[in-house]
Amino acid sequence: MSDQKAELNWLKVHPITPVVTVWKGIAALVGIIAIQNFRESVELIHYLQDYTQLGGLAWVLIPLAFILVFALLVGLYAAISYRFIGYALEPEAIHYRKGIFFKSEREIKMSRIQAIDVVQPLLGRLFGLANVNVEATGGNESKIEIGMLRLPEAEETRARILYLAAGFSEDEGESPSAPSQAENAETEDGSAPSADVTPPVLRATPVAPETELYRVNLPSLFVSVALSGWFITTVIVIIGVFSFAIYGFSSWGWRGFSGSLVALAPLFLGLISGSWNSISRSINFVLAASPDGIRIRNGITDLKAQTLPPGRVHGVKLSQSLLWRTRDYWRVEMEIASYQGDTEQSNNVLIPVGSRQDAVSSSWLIVRDLGVENPDQLWEEAFDGSRDSYQSFVPNPLVSRWFDWFTYRRNAVAITPHALVFRRGWLTKSINIVLHEHIQSVEISQGPWERRLGLANLHIHLVQGQILTVMPNIGAEHCRDLWAQVAQYSQQRRETEPSAKWMIRVQQVAAVSSSQDGSMSSGNTDFEMPDEADNPATSTDQEVVSL
């Protein structure tokens, strides 16, 4: 370990952390041992009954012995492991270490942080504890989970990380140092620091206030769930399961009834579990703006508070399923580099269900300026525009119907100096907005039949996730123009809209929301974003290669 790592101010987590992380594994190990030695345990109990004075008490003492062994193993591991768990914060990076025999230390650069989550599992809620999950570019493998910490300490740790990630140094703060963190500091070998060594000063960063912008409306949530395809599928499967069970009862009696239920139980329980997980992640859903970024809270048993800066979001997707059109419900999802390929899709949700105005207002948190004179007209065309009335969008040519039989009427694309917007869908409508500054590269592809019909496909190289990155069957000439414009705008936006120093921009959002003294709710929204002066973009020479 280098001298620089040894000088870090290592902080301790809560002593219960090793217990939470290992108790399931040790319980499984003890359970396996108990099952494998079940016959010997029963013989031992009979022996104690026959040759000692314990009698029936032996049936209590043997299970208690297994519980005692389990508790001793957990306690021993926790006492040893606790000495080797710690984290350190510095202006450039976050460090986390753990391990007894196989030690590991992970580091995330502040510039790579994409989002920070404060998660309270059910056990943590009982004791007022939480984990701080730091998400970085690269998916699950680059995540650091700090915890468990007391809830106020977890919120303060999140605030400090966001403060440092925004580009501010320790010297810029005016808050006094945090004695609680300094007292928890330790040296590299896990022992307490000596009196002659003065650890680096850590400043207590106050938790930034937040302004609530959206809270999920429970009646709208339950109606949207009832109108979703997976819920209808679940209801049909439940009816089918009980119909099959009734048929089994009429043919083979109770044995056929119970056998039918057992055979179909995995499918039934899987659908019910998936339905409940989807609902539970949307209940208590709150979207808020704060000086340190966008905050999202949700959950019933496990509470989660997600914080991310707008500059870390690569794009937005608005979607509406077929049955949702009867109530004009929309769902808004984000594209974040750290959550790409994440099975926990709630991490990418900006609002689970809301009105059209809710969807537009929440999208303004990410896309603050579309760079057009009349953004309302662009939004109106994105939602309900038709091929004959477009002004902001350019529809796909009519000849594209040979490839897109049902969607060619809706497929259209619009480009502005700040974003690329394209709409698609037939059964499920979608509006995809990609920010120019996050586009890595642009590609045009054209097959033989497309070349014959004068069509081409535009590929936007972005992190893979919810947002569509391919715009198929565009007119070839229009596709070449888009390619050149995207390349130019992407370069300009990266120069005028850096991802760092985003805190001041979000402060304006919170200030405007507070002055309006209102928040978004499903079906009722007065939230508006402040006007943002366009920064003059520096023009650069672009080398465009034609098809």
Side-chain angles (χ1 to χ4, degrees):
M1 188 77 60
S2 63
D3 295 338
Q4 183 180 1
K5 295 291 183 66
E7 293 175 358
L8 292 175
N9 187 27
W10 291 97
L11 306 175
K12 299 298 294 182
V13 296
H14 195 275
I16 202 175
T17 299
V19 178
V20 174
T21 57
V22 79
W23 74 269
K24 292 182 180 179
I26 295 181
L29 178 62
V30 173
I32 292 174
I33 295 175
I35 292 174
Q36 290 180 343
N37 297 275
F38 179 76
R39 179 178 299 178
E40 290 78 3
S41 300
V42 172
E43 293 177 354
L44 177 60
I45 292 174
H46 287 309
Y47 176 82
L48 295 176
Q49 281 184 311
D50 296 338
Y51 297 98
T52 65
Q53 302 296 324
L54 295 177
L57 191 60
W59 290 97
V60 178
L61 293 179
I62 297 301
L64 284 179
F66 279 105
I67 295 175
L68 180 61
V69 171
F70 167 71
L72 288 176
L73 291 176
V74 171
L76 180 62
Y77 176 86
I80 299 175
S81 178
Y82 178 71
R83 294 176 53 84
F84 298 94
I85 300 177
Y87 69 99
L89 307 179
E90 59 176 351
E92 294 79 18
I94 305 172
H95 304 267
Y96 185 78
R97 66 182 186 185
K98 63 179 181 178
I100 301 176
F101 301 105
F102 301 97
K103 296 184 178 181
S104 66
E105 181 176 326
R106 306 188 69 177
E107 174 183 316
I108 291 181
K109 298 293 184 182
M110 290 293 179
S111 60
R112 308 296 292 175
I113 293 177
Q114 299 294 316
I116 302 177
D117 306 337
V118 175
V119 182
Q120 272 192 288
L122 182 60
L123 181 62
R125 294 179 63 185
L126 297 177
F127 297 97
L129 303 175
N131 294 322
V132 180
N133 297 339
V134 182
E135 301 280 353
T137 305
N140 294 331
E141 296 300 324
S142 60
K143 181 173 70 174
I144 286 181
E145 183 175 329
I146 303 174
M148 303 183 78
L149 304 173
R150 291 184 176 87
L151 183 58
E153 185 180 356
E155 293 177 346
E156 181 183 342
T157 300
R158 175 187 62 183
R160 272 200 78 235
I161 295 174
L162 289 168
Y163 182 79
L164 296 173
F168 296 96
S169 63
E170 293 286 345
D171 297 334
E172 295 182 35
E174 298 180 0
S175 302
S177 61
S180 60
Q181 290 182 337
E183 291 173 0
N184 288 335
E186 63 170 3
T187 58
E188 177 65 24
D189 59 358
S191 61
S194 63
D196 298 334
V197 178
T198 302
V201 175
L202 293 178
R203 299 186 181 277
T205 306
V207 178
E210 64 181 41
T211 301
E212 183 176 308
L213 305 178
Y214 165 88
R215 181 180 292 272
V216 69
N217 183 282
L218 288 182
S220 298
L221 175 62
F222 290 126
V223 171
S224 67
V225 169
L227 295 176
S228 61
W230 57 263
F231 181 81
I232 296 175
T233 302
T234 301
V235 172
I236 294 175
V237 169
I238 291 175
I239 295 175
V241 167
F242 281 98
S243 299
F244 190 75
I246 293 173
Y247 173 78
F249 176 76
S250 62
S251 301
W252 301 286
W254 285 107
R255 178 176 297 180
F257 180 81
S258 59
S260 301
L261 290 181
V262 170
L264 297 175
L267 176 62
F268 175 75
L269 294 178
L271 288 173
I272 293 296
S273 176
S275 303
W276 169 248
N277 289 336
S278 180
I279 295 175
S280 64
R281 288 196 294 262
S282 299
I283 292 180
N284 298 326
F285 195 99
V286 175
L287 173 66
S290 70
D292 56 12
I294 299 173
R295 290 186 184 172
I296 298 173
R297 298 195 305 274
N298 64 307
I300 300 179
T301 56
D302 295 351
L303 296 183
K304 180 178 179 180
Q306 180 183 9
T307 303
L308 55 98
R312 303 303 197 263
V313 181
H314 294 205
V316 184
K317 176 184 177 181
L318 291 72
S319 59
Q320 182 186 59
S321 62
L322 178 63
L323 297 179
W324 279 19
R325 298 178 195 176
T326 59
R327 305 298 295 268
D328 200 19
Y329 288 155
W330 289 84
R331 177 183 176 92
V332 183
E333 297 169 290
M334 306 170 289
E335 197 59 70
I336 309 173
S338 59
Y339 294 137
Q340 54 177 320
D342 198 333
T343 57
E344 191 84 12
Q345 295 184 359
S346 63
N347 291 331
N348 290 344
V349 176
L350 191 59
I351 63 171
V353 60
S355 65
R356 179 176 301 192
Q357 185 59 38
D358 290 341
V360 174
S361 300
S362 61
S363 299
W364 276 117
L365 284 173
I366 311 300
V367 190
R368 297 200 53 230
D369 186 5
L370 286 172
V372 294
E373 294 181 357
N374 191 355
D376 293 335
Q377 177 183 339
L378 190 147
W379 277 111
E380 186 63 29
E381 292 184 9
F383 283 113
D384 299 319
S386 61
R387 294 182 57 87
D388 301 330
S389 61
Y390 281 138
Q391 296 185 22
S392 302
F393 281 80
V394 177
N396 287 9
L398 283 174
V399 71
S400 65
R401 66 180 181 271
W402 291 103
F403 297 98
D404 302 321
W405 294 357
F406 304 104
T407 62
Y408 77 95
R409 296 180 183 275
R410 178 170 173 80
N411 293 352
V413 61
I415 187 168
T416 75
H418 295 175
L420 184 66
V421 186
F422 53 100
R423 40 172 281 173
R424 290 183 59 81
W426 177 51
L427 295 178
T428 300
K429 294 181 178 180
S430 67
I431 303 171
N432 300 268
I433 305 176
V434 179
L435 302 178
H436 287 312
E437 57 266 26
H438 294 291
I439 295 176
Q440 304 299 317
S441 61
V442 191
E443 178 186 353
I444 294 179
S445 65
Q446 191 179 47
W449 289 107
E450 293 164 334
R451 188 179 302 112
R452 183 177 182 85
L453 296 175
L455 301 176
N457 306 313
L458 184 66
H459 300 260
I460 302 298
H461 294 165
L462 199 69
V463 294
Q464 295 297 319
Q466 304 298 322
I467 295 180
L468 298 176
T469 56
V470 179
M471 287 166 279
N473 305 320
I474 303 175
E477 291 294 333
H478 183 216
C479 192
R480 281 191 286 264
D481 293 339
L482 286 174
W483 186 31
Q485 288 179 297
V486 169
Q488 179 182 0
Y489 288 149
S490 298
Q491 180 65 26
Q492 292 176 353
R493 291 298 293 171
R494 278 192 290 268
E495 293 175 354
T496 60
E497 187 72 8
S499 58
K501 300 293 184 181
W502 40 261
M503 187 177 290
I504 296 176
R505 298 174 58 239
V506 185
Q507 284 177 336
Q508 297 176 0
V509 178
V512 171
S513 302
S514 299
S515 64
Q516 292 177 352
D517 193 24
S519 61
M520 293 193 303
S521 61
S522 186
N524 183 15
T525 299
D526 297 325
F527 176 75
E528 295 180 358
M529 295 297 299
D531 294 334
E532 180 183 15
D534 293 336
N535 294 325
T538 304
S539 61
T540 57
D541 295 333
Q542 297 290 334
E543 181 179 358
V544 181
V545 182
S546 60
L547 285 172

